Amino acid sequence: MGTPKKIEEMSFEESLQELETIVGSLESGKAPLEESITAYERGISLKKHCEKKLREAQSKIEKISVAEDGSISAAPIDLNE
Amino acid sequence: MATDLFTHSQEKPTATASNVPELTVGDLANSVKRTLEQSFGRIRVRGEFTGLKLAGSGHLYGDLKDENAVVNIVCWRSTISRLSVKPEDGLEVIVTGKVSSYPKSSRYQLIIESVEMAGEGALLKMLEERRKKLSAEGLFDDARKKRLPYLPEVIGVVSSPSGAVIRDIMHRLDDRFPRRVLLWPVLVQGEGAAQQIAAAINGFNAMDKNGNVPRPDLIIVARGGGSLEDLMAFNEEVVVRAAAASDIPLISAVGHETDTTLIDFASDRRAPTPTGAAEMAVPVRADLMAWTLQQQARMAQALTRRLSEYKNMLAAQAASLGNPQQLLESKQQIIDFISDKFSSLLRAFVQQKQSALSVISGQLKPPSHGLERSQTRLDSAFTNLLRAQKQNIDKMERTLGQTARLLDSLSYESILNRGYAVVKDAKGHVISTTDGMKTGQDVELHFREKKTAQAKITGTKD
């Protein structure tokens, strides 16, 4: 697997994939016990990271406007207006 | 009134020349122009473009024809940019416009205000040709298609700010996985729509990921259903090219499921509807939460099972290991035995060496003993030597006395006393023979009482 990536820097998808791999390898029971325990600990960290990303779900809509000088800004809008 | 011309001629067909008003050519031409414009108004004409020519002024001239007739057309520069269908020779169209005439040549013409394709068949034929051309450029190649992000943080939507489309998208996103959405408002049909849509796609791509407005991870270009003509903006080359060039993965969702526009070929995914685009854009959050929890449970189970397996294995191993106390005792016994044997061996060895030593040391005489004896011997030898030496000296003294007396008695002077003389040569040596004696040699004669006489040899006789 090489050096594991820093979990905080991982995308949600990367975390999900690695978590899935870890679960698979733990269930296969082929790795030495010590490695399995390390993998389990990493799995728990990944799961927390995934949950954090899942909690970050917030709906927000902003409308882009382009100024005359070409600069772009975004302002929240209400679709129900 | 523009109809003056006709009413006059109709009402007074037999009027004399004097009664007929005299018109200038210009009056007539302008009057005809007015008559044409007022009597036809806005009309729609179906035909095929031919002989189109764009003048330096930017106005477009040419003809519209069918199998029976030809009509001049003109399209002002200001109108051309607003046309939803770009006029091309051979294009079968329905044009909307006004009939007028150009007084300088008095040729009547159709001033075009808008152009639409003449029926779906013609439009589809044109689109198919455009599709083939862009496809040949490689714009629709599978190799260009990008994978959509699994969970985009920010989604850019290019659509109309009013209408159901953006609401449908937000609704479905909120159901599945609420996200931050940036809406780039555009016209989705009519004048300038294609340019705005293309500019929005390019604009999202030009954004900085860390700018005050974050660059989206995914773009949705969406429009609700409409007629083929309504969707034409999404068939425009400028839009298709912008979609193909987008570095950000792009979902096209234009019209209904049965509608296909050219942007669908250039996009990375085609959604049947705007709602469908939202479904492609994000996973379902609740499913993921459940899945994530499930993974934790599976890991814990796997590890627990694993640990209990190890526990059983350990117990089995321990059983086969035997009692450690016993193992220790048996080893201790071996050590005792060895150390016992070793110490007796050691003792025997020491004894053997000791006795060997005493034998050797018995043979050895103390060096001081020998020294004393030698000293005594040396002392007595010295005493003896001294004594012997003194005896020798005494003896030698006695001998010397006797010898002196003997010598005295034997001295030649006593012989001289008895009448003998001694002959000596000039050097004082005694001459006892005539051998070597020469005639004339000087000799000295010694007599008693140490008296001498000089003599010369006069001859010798044997």
Side-chain angles (χ1 to χ4, degrees):
Chain A
M1 233 198 269
T3 332
K5 219 175 156 180
K6 271 196 175 175
I7 288 175
E8 309 86 71
E9 292 167 11
M10 287 172 80
S11 75
F12 181 72
E13 188 181 8
E14 286 173 323
S15 311
L16 279 187
Q17 281 172 347
E18 196 183 332
L19 181 56
E20 197 166 23
T21 309
I22 285 175
V23 171
S25 82
L26 281 176
E27 287 182 337
S28 79
K30 278 176 190 153
L33 185 61
E34 201 147 324
E35 274 177 35
S36 298
I37 289 167
T38 312
Y40 176 81
E41 284 167 351
R42 185 162 170 88
I44 292 296
S45 302
L46 286 166
K47 178 237 164 198
K48 283 183 183 159
H49 184 61
C50 288
E51 280 182 335
K52 185 168 162 274
K53 290 268 177 192
L54 287 169
R55 275 197 303 273
E56 277 170 6
Q58 198 196 0
S59 177
K60 191 178 176 188
I61 179 157
E62 291 154 283
K63 194 164 88 174
I64 297 280
S65 41
V66 184
E68 287 202 3
D69 63 357
S71 66
I72 286 164
S73 56
I77 53 164
D78 186 354
L79 289 177
N80 299 319
E81 267 176 9
Chain B
M1 291 300 285
T3 48
D4 281 358
L5 181 74
F6 296 104
T7 38
H8 278 296
S9 54
Q10 277 163 9
E11 278 174 12
K12 294 174 180 169
T14 57
T16 58
S18 62
N19 289 334
V20 178
E22 193 181 292
L23 298 171
T24 64
V25 174
D27 288 340
L28 176 61
N30 281 317
S31 189
V32 169
K33 177 178 150 83
R34 275 198 301 276
T35 307
L36 281 172
E37 285 175 355
Q38 284 168 9
S39 58
F40 287 95
R42 276 169 76 95
I43 52 165
R44 293 175 79 225
V45 183
R46 186 188 186 119
E48 182 188 326
F49 281 125
T50 182
L52 294 179
K53 222 171 280 170
L54 194 64
S57 60
H59 306 316
L60 181 75
Y61 300 97
D63 298 312
L64 195 65
K65 66 165 189 185
D66 65 9
E67 36 304 3
N68 302 315
V70 176
V71 176
N72 279 177
I73 58 108
V74 57
C75 186
W76 309 128
R77 193 179 70 169
S78 59
T79 310
I80 293 172
S81 62
R82 287 191 278 108
L83 294 177
S84 60
V85 175
K86 206 174 112 201
E88 281 171 39
D89 280 346
L91 213 57
E92 181 112 12
V93 290
I94 298 166
V95 300
T96 305
K98 284 178 184 161
V99 180
S100 185
S101 101
Y102 181 52
K104 296 228 170 183
S105 63
S106 278
R107 288 172 72 174
Y108 87 90
Q109 58 193 11
L110 193 56
I111 301 173
I112 293 176
E113 287 168 5
S114 70
V115 179
E116 57 195 281
M117 299 301 293
E120 290 222 328
L123 188 57
L124 291 174
K125 186 166 158 262
M126 182 202 73
L127 289 179
E128 179 56 19
E129 272 158 20
R130 189 179 294 168
R131 190 191 66 77
K132 279 182 184 155
K133 184 185 104 179
L134 296 175
S135 179
E137 281 183 39
L139 257 58
F140 307 150
D141 287 357
D142 280 346
R144 295 181 67 119
K145 305 287 181 206
K146 289 171 286 293
R147 203 171 69 93
L148 303 185
Y150 185 78
L151 179 62
E153 298 281 337
V154 180
I155 300 169
V157 176
V158 177
S159 193
S160 165
S162 54
V165 170
I166 185 64
R167 274 203 291 272
D168 286 351
I169 290 174
M170 288 308 289
H171 227 217
R172 190 48 59 99
L173 285 179
D174 290 352
D175 286 349
R176 291 171 69 88
F177 206 127
R179 294 283 78 184
R180 185 175 179 185
V181 171
L182 297 175
L183 171 68
W184 196 303
V186 291
L187 285 173
V188 291
Q189 71 183 84
E191 182 190 342
Q195 281 70 25
Q196 286 189 13
I197 294 162
I201 294 170
N202 296 333
F204 274 139
N205 274 281
M207 280 180 168
D208 186 350
K209 182 80 201 169
N210 300 313
N212 57 334
V213 182
R215 186 178 193 248
D217 311 302
L218 176 70
I219 295 174
I220 298 173
V221 178
R223 192 208 185 282
S227 69
L228 187 53
E229 286 76 15
D230 290 343
L231 306 182
M232 272 309 286
F234 298 89
N235 286 316
E236 290 302 324
E237 252 187 74
V238 65
V239 170
V240 176
R241 288 187 188 280
S246 177
D247 283 331
I248 303 171
L250 187 146
I251 302 174
S252 63
V254 178
H256 297 299
E257 184 150 18
T258 48
D259 301 323
T260 298
T261 50
L262 293 185
I263 193 178
D264 294 332
F265 294 99
S267 65
D268 298 303
R269 284 288 293 279
R270 183 219 173 209
T273 58
T275 299
E279 284 170 5
M280 285 176 183
V282 293
V284 178
R285 182 165 162 258
D287 290 354
L288 286 170
M289 285 199 148
W291 183 87
T292 308
L293 281 174
Q294 202 191 345
Q295 301 315 297
Q296 183 176 19
R298 280 171 67 181
M299 284 198 300
Q301 261 173 26
L303 207 62
T304 310
R305 191 172 58 239
R306 192 74 189 286
L307 285 171
S308 68
E309 275 170 24
Y310 273 103
K311 211 166 142 188
N312 292 340
M313 272 164 70
L314 188 65
Q317 298 273 8
S320 68
L321 263 180
N323 185 343
Q325 186 65 36
Q326 265 178 15
L327 274 175
L328 198 65
E329 280 166 358
S330 72
K331 295 294 177 201
Q332 186 63 53
Q333 202 178 355
I334 292 170
I335 292 170
D336 288 348
F337 176 73
I338 290 170
S339 64
D340 213 37
K341 189 142 188 161
F342 181 72
S343 61
S344 63
L345 272 173
L346 191 66
R347 255 196 312 279
F349 178 75
V350 169
Q351 278 169 3
Q352 188 195 337
K353 289 299 172 195
Q354 262 175 356
S355 59
L357 185 65
S358 59
V359 169
I360 292 165
S361 65
Q363 287 169 349
L364 269 176
K365 295 200 181 87
S368 62
H369 181 64
L371 202 62
E372 278 167 22
R373 269 195 355 175
S374 298
Q375 185 68 48
T376 316
R377 275 167 63 185
L378 188 61
D379 288 351
S380 70
F382 190 64
T383 311
N384 290 345
L385 186 64
L386 284 177
R387 194 168 48 237
Q389 212 163 20
K390 197 167 183 300
Q391 282 171 358
N392 275 349
I393 291 168
D394 290 351
K395 194 176 162 187
M396 276 155 78
E397 277 176 350
R398 277 196 304 274
T399 312
L400 191 60
Q402 287 166 2
T403 310
R405 277 191 299 279
L406 183 63
L407 190 62
D408 197 42
S409 65
L410 292 174
S411 165
Y412 72 92
E413 293 196 9
S414 56
I415 297 167
L416 295 179
N417 288 341
R418 283 180 284 167
Y420 297 90
V422 175
V423 181
K424 289 188 181 179
D425 65 13
K427 292 176 178 172
H429 293 134
V430 172
I431 298 169
S432 54
T433 175
T434 58
D435 295 347
M437 195 174 272
K438 292 160 189 164
T439 305
Q441 186 182 350
D442 290 325
V443 292
E444 212 174 41
L445 303 176
H446 291 246
F447 298 101
R448 63 183 257 195
E449 289 161 356
K450 296 203 188 284
K451 307 255 175 83
T452 59
Q454 311 304 318
K456 197 172 282 263
I457 301 300
T458 56
T460 55
K461 287 184 217 167
D462 289 322

